[in-house]
Amino acid sequence: MKLAEMTTDEAAAAVRDSPLVIVPVGAQEQHGGGMAMSTDTVRAVGVAERVAERLAGRAVITPPVPYGVSPHHMAFAGTMTLSPATFMQVLRDLVASLHEHGWRQFLVITGHGGNNAALSVLAQEYVRTDLTFAWTPLTSVVSDLIGEVSEVHGHAGEAETAQMLYLAPELVQADRLEPGATALDDLTTTARLSRQSRGPRLSVGFDAYHKRGVLGDPRRATAADGRLLVESAADRIAAFAAELLAA
């Protein structure tokens, strides 16, 4: 149910038959020496399509937003970033456009963790309106299924690489994958403090973690692991969406 492939007449019918709008958002940013900069967008679209399939016609998918909030990756060539304010305004305008056509329920699926803070703030704006605005990350939805990873892991590491090996193996250059930061003891003080899950929060550029901007060892990733993470994320997000639609 891709909105971009519909005619305007089909879209008008979808307002009634497919009340949930799924908006995949990603980023254009470095993912080490072995993965494409579209990685986060590819993963968001891949999960969005699977969620829509599971909802059996009750959702439409918008074209992806391929840019995100990525200033922490700007030390690496090819990265393009939006400011948080611009990112939020883009989504406001897209939601407003579809709201005008009659849609009232929206689910943003983000493949880039750097978008999370802006999405959380944006969601607050819609609390007392006539529309529902929900959003979800990807990997953290299935964090309980991730095993055998480095002490430091995340961006362009085991889990993300596994997902790409499953969704778009042609965008992974396996011979160029290399480990990045893998242990807390190897990090500078500021980089280590930024990894704390509790207490004060600190953000650093990804070049502060490692010269390649990678967290973890992507060489350990497998397509089988990626399939488990992608399909499980789609199952869990679709279950949430189904409850939302039934409310």
Side-chain angles (χ1 to χ4, degrees):
M1 299 292 291
K2 295 181 180 180
L3 193 58
E5 297 177 2
M6 295 180 183
T7 65
T8 187
D9 295 337
E10 290 169 333
V15 172
R16 180 188 68 252
D17 300 331
S18 307
L20 178 66
V21 177
I22 300 175
V23 185
V25 301
Q28 165 71 15
E29 64 184 28
Q30 68 85 19
H31 277 77
M35 280 205 296
M37 285 185 283
S38 62
T39 287
D40 292 342
T41 306
V42 170
R43 294 188 302 114
V45 170
V47 172
E49 291 176 347
R50 285 162 173 78
V51 170
E53 289 171 359
R54 286 158 170 77
L55 293 175
R58 291 178 290 167
V60 297
I61 307 172
T62 71
V65 178
Y67 305 105
V69 182
S70 304
H72 43 300
H73 294 287
M74 282 300 292
F76 301 94
T79 297
M80 301 167 70
T81 187
L82 301 179
S83 68
T86 299
F87 176 75
M88 288 191 289
Q89 190 58 50
V90 168
L91 288 175
R92 287 190 196 102
D93 288 347
L94 298 179
V95 168
S97 297
L98 296 180
H99 181 265
E100 186 169 331
H101 299 310
W103 274 284
R104 295 292 183 269
Q105 293 178 296
F106 297 84
L107 172 62
V108 175
I109 297 179
T110 178
H112 173 47
N115 297 335
N116 291 359
L119 288 169
S120 182
V121 171
L122 187 58
Q124 294 298 315
E125 297 183 8
Y126 294 110
V127 168
R128 298 185 64 83
T129 68
D130 68 339
L131 65 82
T132 299
F133 182 92
W135 69 275
T136 181
L138 294 184
T139 304
S140 61
V141 169
V142 289
S143 59
D144 58 307
L145 302 179
I146 300 173
E148 299 299 321
V149 291
S150 307
E151 181 183 22
V152 173
H153 62 276
H155 183 75
E158 293 90 339
E160 283 194 348
T161 306
Q163 293 168 57
M164 286 297 283
L165 287 172
Y166 174 57
L167 289 170
E170 71 279 5
L171 296 180
V172 180
Q173 300 180 43
D175 60 330
R176 300 188 67 180
L177 296 175
E178 57 184 300
T182 57
L184 288 171
D185 288 345
D186 295 334
L187 300 179
T188 63
T189 298
T190 53
R192 178 175 51 77
L193 288 173
S194 74
R195 300 300 292 172
Q196 291 185 154
S197 59
R198 298 179 182 177
R201 311 301 298 170
L202 173 69
S203 296
V204 300
F206 269 58
D207 53 318
Y209 292 120
H210 188 268
K211 62 181 181 181
R212 302 297 281 167
V214 174
L215 302 181
D217 189 348
R219 300 173 303 175
R220 301 167 65 178
T222 68
D225 288 340
R227 182 181 189 280
L228 173 65
L229 297 178
V230 168
E231 299 298 339
S232 297
D235 285 341
R236 295 176 182 185
I237 296 170
F240 169 89
E243 284 197 55
L244 189 65
L245 286 166

